[in-house]
Amino acid sequence: MKKVRIYGAGGHSQVIRKVLELNDIVVTDTYDDKPSTVHSAYQNTNIETGARDGKDAFPHEGDPVIIAVGNNLQRAEIAEFLKSTFEKAIHPSSIIAESAIVGEGTVVFAGAIIQPNTTVGKHVIVNTAASIDHDNSIGDYAHISPKAALCGHVEVGEGSHVGVGAVVIPKIKIGKWCTIGAGTVVIKDVPDYATVVGNPGRIIKINNPFVSQ
């Protein structure tokens, strides 16, 4: 029986645990940096705290890890320091074309669809009932939220978040570390670090999270 470890013990982690359970994958250990935010369902679960503060002491070797952290920046930071192998979590009800590629550490939730010739990067969240059409490219650490719909030939850059129910028309390029608001309809290319809202989508700010304001 396959075994994995989970890094993150909040609500997002609960969904991943359920996906693993449906695939007969056993969670052997759970780690978290913020005990105050641990989900109530983790009451009797072995939780190691402060792993980001004690990188040298962290048990990097062992069963593969899934980073169960919803925040894209935090997920990227954790992935950078972990010297571990990573596992995927793919819900049995999701539909993934044979020609699609799904990277390590990525999670695909119930009812999600990934169509042919699409590439999904590492540590991506493809959330419940999200639809990613043919010939898409989804960058590492991105998050495609529940019921978001990406048409064909769409590119989503590293770390970008496409909000709940957002729609992206064909051949659109969304830059890296962007935020696409819930329900937004994206009809034009989006530059790096932009926040876009509305129908049609409009840029309301540009904010590089790696530069101090």
Side-chain angles (χ1 to χ4, degrees):
M1 185 171 289
K2 186 178 289 186
K3 299 178 180 179
V4 303
R5 298 178 291 165
I6 288 182
Y7 196 118
H12 177 62
S13 178
Q14 294 298 299
V15 183
I16 291 176
R17 291 176 73 92
K18 184 61 180 178
V19 173
L20 295 172
E21 176 185 317
L22 291 170
N23 284 286
D24 296 321
I25 299 174
V26 175
V27 176
T28 57
D29 292 284
T30 303
Y31 310 96
D32 199 271
D33 294 316
K34 299 179 180 179
S36 62
T37 64
V38 168
H39 195 279
S40 58
Y42 275 104
Q43 288 172 352
N44 301 315
T45 301
N46 174 31
I47 297 174
E48 299 287 345
T49 60
R52 271 188 281 186
D53 295 327
K55 298 176 185 177
D56 293 338
F58 185 82
H60 296 277
E61 296 182 0
D63 295 322
V65 175
I66 292 179
I67 304 172
V69 175
N71 182 288
N72 294 355
L73 274 170
Q74 293 180 12
R75 194 163 63 258
E77 179 187 1
I78 294 166
E80 286 298 316
F81 83 71
L82 285 181
K83 301 178 182 65
S84 306
T85 57
F86 296 102
E87 185 57 73
K88 305 172 191 176
I90 298 177
H91 196 283
S93 71
S94 64
I95 299 173
I96 302 176
E98 291 182 3
S99 60
I101 297 171
V102 177
E104 65 179 17
T106 287
V107 296
V108 181
F109 289 165
I113 300 172
I114 302 174
Q115 296 284 25
N117 304 314
T118 283
T119 299
V120 179
K122 299 182 294 184
H123 305 289
V124 173
I125 301 170
V126 182
N127 222 313
T128 307
S131 176
I132 303 175
D133 221 293
H134 64 90
D135 299 287
N136 275 220
S137 175
I138 311 299
D140 299 344
Y141 314 117
H143 180 177
I144 311 301
S145 292
K147 296 187 176 180
L150 278 56
C151 294
H153 296 279
V154 167
E155 181 178 335
V156 177
E158 177 186 273
S160 287
H161 184 182
V162 180
V164 176
V167 175
V168 184
I169 69 168
K171 300 182 180 180
I172 290 295
K173 180 178 179 180
I174 296 172
K176 60 186 179 182
W177 299 101
C178 294
T179 299
I180 309 300
T184 296
V185 178
V186 183
I187 63 172
K188 295 190 295 186
D189 288 353
V190 178
D192 296 344
Y193 313 123
T195 296
V196 178
V197 300
N199 180 8
R202 66 190 188 282
I203 297 172
I204 59 170
K205 65 178 178 180
I206 303 285
N207 180 30
N208 185 340
F210 304 100
V211 176
S212 299
Q213 301 300 310

